[in-house]
Amino acid sequence: MVREALQQEFEAFGITVSDEVLDKCVTICMCSNIPAEEFVETWMAYSLSNLNGADPTIEYINQFERKELKGYTSQNQTKKSSSKTATTPIIYNKSEANVSSRVESNSDSVLDVYATTPKGKTAQKRLADTSPIGHLDKKNASHCGSPSIYTPASFTPDIFSPNSNYSKRTNSGQIVASFGAKEIFLGKSQVSNVVAKSSVSIVPHGGAAQISAKTLFMYETLVDKAAVLDSTVSYLGELLLKKHGLPPAGNHCKGSQTEITAVGRIVCDTSDGKLNAASILLEGDEATCTGRSIPLKLPESGVAVFPGQVVAVQGSNPSRNQFIASKLYTDVTLPLPETKPRLDSNTGSLSIFVSAGPYTQSDTLSYKPLEDLIALTVQQEPDILILIGPLLDANHPLLLNGSLAETFEDFYMKLIDSIVQPLEKVKTQVIIVASYREATSPCRYPTPPPFCTTGLKRSKVTFIADPSTVDISGVVLGVTSVDVLMHLGREEFAVAPSMSDRLSRLASHLIQQQSYYPLMPPNIELPVDMECWELYAQLPVTPHIMILPSDLRYFVKNLSGCVVINPERLSKGMVGGSFAKIEVKPVDNNMIWSTSTHVNVQVVKI
């Protein structure tokens, strides 16, 4: 290639060179790493200036090499080295946002690339002053050990800066919703005589094990999906008939002048449409009507339906074109757990903090809201801290534009360690709930804990799937990270519903349908694996407490003995959000334990 290029360049100037001279030129170009075009142009300039335009010979080429190309190799290497250094990305970190760290070899220390250690008393004092525990008293601060650093390595130093709107908030600590007693969490000093112990155990969904990162997905076929939906209709339909004392279900697609009972699933007549009075269909199961559907005319009042809801209806089909319902049944609520909380005067009350991601503002990767929550946890020492994902939101604008200078898994693991470190000397146990929006998790629902946490040993951390039902000292708590309330709210069709409170009604759909996500088809942004949904997204019992984080307004409701809590998000857009405090009182021999009398909840602004 070099030989032909040199020959073409010389011929362009009308020069014919011998093979011996051409071989010499090829050797020089390859040894000095000179392009053929540049070599010939340099030779022509030398020849015209020093040799009166003479043709190249071995002697002239040797002179040309000694005089003109002597320093070419070193200069060329220096130029390339400078160019390479100039284009090497600069990695910033929070402690030295104005100092660049260049990654020049594989032997560089990871700590040298991602972080720096402050030296000297002044630097250490400055770091201590910016610690999230700086406002705590010395007794509490001693429990924290080293300060937490929720900061990734980045290509842009600006992403570390906390949002000014968050720092200027004036409602920190404000109680915006409550249930039960007005004052909870009396503080460590007032309960120091009580040795509080908490244990966390995972309750299998419907007898199945918790979904793991090794569970296969994306292997289902349309036949598999149809089978799951059909079995759901059959199962819940039988429970509806039994609970409400209804006769066996008939074929609602056949003409009938007399009233019959039918069981089916609410569907919309178009795949991308919304439910209204004219678009509702009732789809039966395979055994009763071979899975066929027919338009359904609902009663004139007391109706609240959504796609995927399994219902039992009483009515007739005189025209064979529409089933006219006179009464609609949707409630197949499971009983509360038979066991009572394992709390008494020796253990004291069970205290829980609950927060939901995202944990950063939308314009920064500063984890200041999470730092403040950890600081408050150190100060008040609840038994359990539940962090609902995403911790590292895959939809964050700064992740989408590639500002992060390390892998998601590396940063996620450092974030976990930063959460655990301040809590090492306090009693608080941490539960981290997976999320399909977690950058380190597969984008599917149900969602297993991130694969990078498989086999991870952290004495204070329990990773659980989304959704999950956990047993905390006998208190059964259900949780999901998906905004199912928002999804249901967009699809629900209600006509003079019996439950006028919309938020309570949306939450009750989950309890009445025995599912953490009863909406089918699911919201377009949620990738549901139907076979896993059937195994892992169903309620084994009606839990004592259910956590349903949502972008809808925060609330605390008691529905069928289940305390449903929407703590909202710890961070909302450019401002701070809220979290929930839960207190479960111990069993009193003189009083029957119930959620209405023994559970206190507060939703508090961060």
Side-chain angles (χ1 to χ4, degrees):
M1 292 293 293
V2 177
R3 184 183 182 87
E4 287 79 2
L6 283 169
Q7 191 169 9
Q8 290 177 2
E9 292 296 331
F10 277 119
E11 289 177 352
F13 288 97
I15 300 174
T16 302
V17 295
S18 64
D19 291 339
E20 184 181 9
V21 172
L22 193 59
D23 291 339
K24 178 65 176 179
C25 294
V26 169
T27 301
I28 295 174
C29 286
M30 296 183 67
C31 292
S32 301
N33 197 22
I34 305 174
E37 181 180 4
E38 185 176 348
F39 177 88
V40 174
E41 290 178 350
T42 306
W43 158 258
M44 291 302 299
Y46 173 79
S47 176
L48 292 172
S49 301
N50 300 281
L51 303 174
N52 296 320
D55 290 341
T57 63
I58 293 295
E59 182 181 357
Y60 288 158
I61 290 295
N62 288 333
Q63 293 178 9
F64 167 67
E65 182 182 12
R66 288 193 303 269
K67 294 181 179 180
E68 297 295 326
L69 304 181
K70 182 178 180 180
Y72 186 92
T73 301
S74 59
Q75 292 175 3
N76 190 40
Q77 291 176 349
T78 302
K79 185 187 299 183
K80 289 192 173 185
S81 176
S82 300
S83 175
K84 181 178 180 181
T85 303
T87 58
T88 300
I90 301 175
I91 299 177
Y92 298 90
N93 56 62
K94 185 176 181 181
S95 59
E96 293 188 1
N98 296 323
V99 179
S100 63
S101 299
R102 302 183 186 277
V103 185
E104 297 181 352
S105 69
N106 293 332
S107 62
D108 288 343
S109 169
V110 174
L111 292 178
D112 292 336
V113 175
Y114 289 133
T116 57
T117 302
K119 298 180 180 180
K121 295 182 179 180
T122 303
Q124 293 177 359
K125 182 179 184 301
R126 182 172 66 251
L127 184 59
D129 291 341
T130 59
S131 167
I133 61 171
H135 65 282
L136 301 180
D137 55 67
K138 293 182 179 180
K139 179 180 178 181
N140 292 328
S142 65
H143 287 168
C144 293
S146 302
S148 303
I149 303 176
Y150 305 93
T151 307
S154 166
F155 295 116
T156 308
D158 296 339
I159 70 173
F160 305 131
S161 303
N163 186 282
S164 59
N165 292 332
Y166 177 79
S167 59
K168 294 178 181 178
R169 71 194 189 285
T170 58
N171 59 354
S172 178
Q174 178 184 352
I175 300 173
V176 293
S178 63
F179 175 83
K182 294 183 179 180
E183 294 185 3
I184 62 176
F185 286 90
L186 301 179
K188 293 184 295 184
S189 60
Q190 300 185 39
V191 294
S192 58
N193 60 325
V194 176
V195 181
K197 297 181 180 180
S198 61
S199 59
V200 179
S201 59
I202 304 300
V203 178
H205 294 171
Q210 179 182 218
I211 186 172
S212 69
K214 296 182 179 180
T215 304
L216 297 179
F217 63 103
M218 295 180 67
Y219 281 86
E220 60 183 2
T221 64
L222 290 177
V223 175
D224 296 330
K225 292 182 179 181
V228 169
L229 293 175
D230 184 71
S231 64
T232 302
V233 172
S234 299
Y235 173 72
L236 292 182
E238 287 295 327
L239 294 179
L240 282 167
L241 296 177
K242 183 178 180 180
K243 178 175 181 176
H244 298 284
L246 301 174
N251 187 346
H252 57 275
C253 294
K254 288 185 177 181
S256 61
Q257 300 296 328
T258 59
E259 187 174 79
I260 65 169
T261 300
V263 170
R265 184 170 65 98
I266 298 294
V267 297
C268 185
D269 60 0
T270 58
S271 59
D272 56 350
K274 295 193 66 174
L275 287 185
N276 56 58
S279 66
I280 298 176
L281 303 178
L282 181 65
E283 181 181 275
D285 60 5
E286 183 70 22
T288 305
C289 58
T290 63
R292 289 183 295 171
S293 59
I294 191 173
L296 175 66
K297 183 179 180 181
L298 296 172
E300 296 181 355
S301 62
V303 173
V305 295
F306 59 89
Q309 184 181 32
V310 178
V311 299
V313 293
Q314 288 183 310
S316 60
N317 182 9
S319 65
R320 299 185 180 182
N321 296 322
Q322 184 183 52
F323 191 87
I324 303 174
S326 59
K327 200 162 186 180
L328 190 74
Y329 301 89
T330 62
D331 186 3
V332 63
T333 302
L334 288 166
L336 291 167
E338 296 181 358
T339 58
K340 300 301 180 183
R342 298 183 295 275
L343 304 172
D344 52 33
S345 57
N346 294 324
T347 62
S349 299
L350 176 69
S351 54
I352 305 173
F353 279 6
V354 180
S355 68
Y359 294 89
T360 64
Q361 276 76 46
S362 58
D363 63 340
T364 177
L365 284 178
S366 169
Y367 278 78
K368 193 64 173 69
L370 182 56
E371 291 180 3
D372 291 342
L373 179 64
I374 295 298
L376 189 62
T377 302
V378 171
Q379 186 181 46
Q380 298 194 8
E381 284 195 39
D383 296 291
I384 303 294
L385 170 63
I386 300 178
L387 299 177
I388 304 172
L391 290 174
L392 186 60
D393 190 358
N395 294 334
H396 196 290
L398 294 177
L399 264 65
L400 295 176
N401 68 14
S403 296
L404 203 63
E406 54 187 316
T407 66
F408 296 153
E409 289 76 11
D410 287 345
F411 175 61
Y412 185 86
M413 296 310 299
K414 291 198 296 184
L415 182 59
I416 297 300
D417 290 336
S418 298
I419 293 171
V420 174
Q421 184 180 2
L423 304 176
E424 288 180 349
K425 295 184 179 180
V426 299
K427 67 181 181 182
T428 304
Q429 298 286 322
V430 181
I431 299 176
I432 297 179
V433 184
S435 170
Y436 78 100
R437 286 174 53 183
E438 196 74 69
T440 56
S441 294
C443 188
R444 58 160 162 159
Y445 184 83
T447 311
F451 191 80
C452 60
T453 64
T454 303
L456 181 68
K457 301 297 183 182
R458 294 292 187 275
S459 59
K460 282 185 167 290
V461 181
T462 300
F463 297 94
I464 64 175
D466 175 28
S468 280
T469 306
V470 296
D471 182 293
I472 307 175
S473 296
V475 178
V476 179
L477 184 146
V479 59
T480 181
S481 70
V482 173
D483 194 347
V484 60
L485 298 179
M486 179 69 78
H487 294 178
L488 282 172
R490 291 172 178 170
E491 303 296 337
E492 185 195 46
F493 174 71
V495 179
S498 56
M499 190 179 296
S500 58
D501 182 357
R502 182 169 180 263
L503 294 177
S504 296
R505 189 174 68 246
L506 294 176
S508 68
H509 288 320
L510 279 69
I511 298 174
Q512 293 181 1
Q513 293 286 297
Q514 303 182 12
S515 175
Y516 284 104
Y517 197 87
L519 180 65
M520 287 294 157
N523 186 275
I524 191 172
E525 70 177 32
L526 185 66
V528 174
D529 185 295
M530 292 301 299
E531 292 183 312
C532 291
W533 172 85
E534 183 181 30
L535 291 174
Y536 305 111
Q538 311 307 314
L539 290 173
V541 293
T542 298
H544 295 124
I545 301 171
M546 183 180 287
I547 312 297
L548 302 177
S550 173
D551 291 331
L552 297 175
R553 187 176 178 83
Y554 42 74
F555 66 82
V556 185
K557 309 285 185 181
N558 191 334
L559 304 174
S560 303
C562 175
V563 178
V564 182
I565 305 169
N566 171 21
E568 279 198 12
R569 313 289 182 182
L570 195 67
S571 176
K572 296 191 67 176
M574 300 287 190
V575 297
S578 55
F579 69 100
K581 295 180 178 181
I582 306 172
E583 180 185 42
V584 182
K585 294 181 179 179
V587 177
D588 189 343
N589 295 329
N590 299 324
M591 183 182 296
I592 299 176
W593 191 95
S594 70
T595 54
S596 59
T597 57
H598 288 73
V599 176
N600 302 319
V601 183
Q602 290 179 350
V603 178
V604 184
K605 286 291 185 179
I606 186 62

